[in-house]
Structure formats: structure tokens, C-alpha cells
Amino acid sequence: MNLPAPEELCRRAEEALIRCGAEITDAGGPLVARTPITGTELRTVTASSTDDVDRAITAAHDAFLEWRTVPAPQRGAVVRRLGQLLTEHKTDLAELVTLEAGKIPSEAQGEVQEMIDICEFAVGLSRQLYGRTMASERPGHRLMETWHPLGVVGVISAFNFPVAVWSWNTAVALVCGDTVVWKPSDRTPLTAIACDALLARAARDVGAPAGIHALVQGAGDVGERLVDDARVALVSATGSVRMGRAVGPRVAARFGKCLLELGGNNAAVVAPSADLDLAVRGIVFSAAGTAGQRCTSLRRLIVHSSVADELVQRISSAYGQLKVGNPFDDGVLVGPLVNRSAFEAMQTALDKARADGGTVVCGGERSGGSDSAYYVSPALVRMPAQTSVVQEETFAPILYVLTYDDFDQAIALHNEVPQGLSSSIFTTDQREAERFLAPDGSDCGIANVNIGTSGAEIGGAFGGEKETGGGRESGSDAWKAYMRRATNTVNYSDRLPLAQGVEFT
Ligand code: NAD
């Protein structure tokens, strides 16, 4: 495998940042932006101090007091402009996503496309923040609800979707009248600088207050300041279950609102009637795409025993065709793991699977790279049972294969893990498909039929149940998490009847 020279990657990062209008300073650290392509440094970035975070929250809170009274359709203008700038700089931002997260350019551009899509969605939403009017039980009364801006939204995001998750939150929060302080992953600080520069420009272009968005950089300790600050009305945190366990109770302790988007352990059921050509394509993209580093990556396959051998053979041969390597190279479909600890976690999981009686059908080994870059061939592992390692999320391309004979058993296996993000079934049997989507079917926030577990559209609400955290972002009515609801009763009569017929005279 030929890896590019580290200096070339530094140059590409710098040029993309400049094109996005980011201010480039030689910060001197202590935060180091690295690329998983070579495992080398791209540049250093200043981490935010306690005072920096405090100033950012103060500015966002001050801006909120003004922003909340700007009519929502006018607030949409800044998001519309952001969408235009993202379209203009799609390749630049995608370049940074590839450099920092290691995604192949097509997936990186897809991530930026998601940002453009959510901006369009949010602009439309800015004219549709509807409340209901209910029938009052009292004569001469009107009962209704109104939705008001919530306050400062603290966005904490993960390395693997370094820009899309920010935009899902920010585009919707801004039209809802909130302001945003963003703490990106410390593994992707440069993409964050580029996004912040584009939004700052959008705000300038439409005359929106500069304080509607602030970026703070650093590791979990910087995120904790957002978590603990009572001025942050909503903490929207995306990352591991470990992070959610730390964040959720702390926000709850101060009665703040929390939106958690945590890990998944996503499965697909493959029934005897499945179109196997379609299933293999869906499975390979979901399991091996993004080197298994999506929250929605397919990690478990629950296959009817009558088709298991054939399916495993076909996936294994498709895996043999996958080109693993430098994501910038033509034809490469699987880029690097984010770092050494991701590689070690993968090896530990494979060892545990073997110890539990699993058989590695193919993959799992290092596939070239360098001392500091970790490329692996996606692993396919047949398991005799859903042992503890299968019940964990290992953030790497490992696909465990389990078999079933009875459909109820398939559903039970499917739901028998602590996480509940994405799921799918490959079947041409309508009864099975409908059962999978029914109340006693998949227990996940996302349940698909005849497509894989990854690659959601922005129009639906995104998120999952159980240890995935219960939050919903993006489309449908996910915007309601970013606003507060007021119930209003208006008496337009000259009498004062009490509810429930209570007499008080
Ligand atoms: P991570 O949990 O290590 O970090 C996520 C973010 O949380 C980072 O910004 C980190 O600095 C911050 N953080 C960590 N501890 C914190 C604390 N105590 N207080 C405040 N902030 C803290 O996750 P990662 O390795 O960057 O990303 C991979 C994980 O994210 C996987 O588990 C994946 O499934 C999950 N993920 C979930 C979704 C989703 O929508 N459900 C999307 C993307 C990624």
C-alpha cells in the first residue's frame, strides 16, 4: 500500500481550511490534529481554557436573548446561507473529513450532502414550528400550545461523523431560536474550524448576531463544562455509551435537558425468502463501509440456517474484492481505523470471539499501512451463540454471524443486546417484514426492510433506544427537543368557569 507523504496531507488540510475561510494560526497546541491515513500530525490547535468556554457560553447566552425574538422565517435566512456555502465548499469540507476521519471521498461528500440537506429541511421548518389548538372544556375559552426557543444548545460530537452531527443539531437549533456552543471530537478539530468559519460567514452575510454560534475545542473535560453549566439548556451529546453514562446523570442533576445519541450494535435478519443479491450488497456496505466506524454499522447478522452457508460464502467473496487503503486512492472502499486503540479493540474482540468458539471466516488482520496508520481487512466471524463480545459495540469492521431456525428466535436474538439504534430485515415475506416493524418486532429506533442498517436519510428522526440513549435528531418532529412548549388557556368570556367543574364561591 502506498501512503502519501505526511507533508502532502498537511498541505491539503491547510489549503482546504483556507478555502473555507478559516483563520490559520500556528497555535502551538496542545491539541494535535492527526490524520488516520498516515497516523501523522496535520497541525496543532489551541484547546479552549475554562475561561474560553465560559466566555463562549456567555456570548451564546447573550445572543440567545436577542435571537429568540427574531421571527423564525428570518432565522431561517442564516441556515439558508449556510446551506449555500456548504454547497460551494462541499469538496473542501469533504477533503477535511477524509483527512481527519479517514472516510473515502464519496462517503465524505455524502456526509457534507447530509449537511446541505438538513439546512434545506431546517429552512422549511422555520415556517412550520406548529403548535396545536385543543378543544377547551370551558365555554368562551381557547386552549392551545406554543413552542418557544429553549436557550443555548451545547453540541458534543463524535469523531466518526465530524460535520453531519453538528449540522443536524445546529441547523435545527438555529431556526428554533436557540444558539449553539459546539465541542467537537478532539480527533477532528480542523473540520470543526472549517464549519465554524462557514457559519460565521453565513451570519455576517445575512446580518445575524455573531454570538449565535461558538466553537470550543478539547477533550472530554471541555465537554464537561458545557454539561455542568446551567445556562446550557440542552446538551446534545453524540458518542459512546461510556460518555452518555457520564453526561446524562450530570445534566439531569441540574434539571437540564439532554439528547443522547450513543453507540449501536446493529443487526440484520436474513430470512429464507431474502433476495440474496440485494442482501449481500446491503450487508457489505453496512458492515465494511467507513471501516465499520458508523454508529449504524452492521455488526450482527442473524441468518436463517437454510441460507447461512451460501450467504457467508458470498459475503466472504465480496470482502475479498474490497480494496482497503489510502482513502484518496481510486477504487479504495475501506479506509483506515481511526487510531491504534481502535485496532487493539478489534484484535481483543476477535480473540474473545475465538475463545467463545467463534470461527473467523475471513479478515481481521492488518492490511499494510505504516507503524502509525491502522488498515484492516473487514472480519467475518461465525459465532455459535450471542456471547458477551457479540453484545458489545466494537467500533471496527467485525460482522458476527448467528443462525436461527424459527422467526421468533430471530427477533429474540435481535433484541437481546443492550443497544437499540438501527436494524434491518431482508425478506420478501410480507408477514415477516411487517412483524419486524410491529410492536413485538425490532426494538430499535430505526427499523428497515430490504436495506442495510446504515445510511439514514435526514427526513426521518434519527436515534435509538435502550443504551443508545433515546434521543432523536434531524427530521420529522425531532425539532421539538430544541424548543420549550407552553400550554396557553385564553378566557374570552365574561365568566370564570373552573376546570373539572370545580365550584369555588
Ligand atoms: P467518545 O464517546 O469517545 O467521544 C464523543 C464526544 O464526547 C467527544 O467530543 C468527546 O470529547 C466527548 N466526551 C467524552 N467524555 C465526555 C464527558 N465525560 N463529558 C463531556 N464530553 C465527553 O466517542 P467517539 O469515539 O468519538 O465516537 C464513537 C462512538 O460514538 C461510538 O460508540 C458510536 O456508536 C457513537 N456514535 C453515535 C452516533 C449516534 O447518532 N447514535 C453517531 C456517531 C457516533
Side-chain angles (χ1 to χ4, degrees), residues 31-35 40-45 100 186 189-190:
L31 204 58
V32 179
R34 291 183 182 282
T35 174
T40 51
E41 180 177 324
L42 290 170
R43 59 187 304 121
T44 52
V45 174
E100 284 197 312
D186 54 340
L190 301 184

Side-chain angles (χ1 to χ4, degrees), residues 325-456:
N326 170 12
F328 283 122
D329 281 353
D330 282 346
V332 165
L333 291 177
V334 180
L337 289 178
V338 68
N339 56 20
R340 181 193 176 94
S341 65
F343 172 72
E344 288 172 352
M346 181 176 182
Q347 298 312 307
T348 304
L350 289 173
D351 288 344
K352 276 192 199 164
R354 284 190 200 95
D356 288 347
T359 308
V360 178
V361 179
C362 64
E365 66 282 358
R366 245 178 122 171
S367 172
S370 67
D371 283 352
S372 51
Y374 293 86
Y375 293 84
V376 288
S377 51
L380 185 63
V381 185
R382 285 193 86 152
M383 292 299 294
Q386 189 149 259
T387 60
S388 60
V389 70
V390 184
Q391 300 196 28
E392 290 163 14
E393 179 196 54
T394 301
F395 217 54
I398 303 177
L399 180 59
Y400 299 109
V401 183
L402 302 158
T403 54
Y404 76 92
D405 293 309
D406 167 74
F407 194 65
D408 282 336
Q409 186 197 358
I411 301 272
L413 276 170
H414 179 277
N415 292 345
E416 192 190 68
V417 294
Q419 313 82 355
L421 181 52
S422 186
S423 60
S424 74
I425 184 167
F426 289 92
T427 182
T428 53
D429 179 330
Q430 192 185 4
R431 286 185 181 159
E432 284 178 345
E434 291 293 340
R435 166 75 196 288
F436 191 72
L437 307 183
D440 56 349
S442 160
D443 63 0
C444 289
I446 298 168
N448 298 331
V449 176
N450 290 328
I451 63 163
T453 52
S454 65

Side-chain angles (χ1 to χ4, degrees), residues 160-185:
N160 67 320
F161 270 92
V163 293
V165 167
W166 167 71
S167 68
W168 292 356
N169 282 283
T170 302
V172 172
L174 288 177
V175 299
C176 287
D178 303 328
T179 56
V180 174
V181 180
W182 180 24
K183 207 298 284 172
S185 166

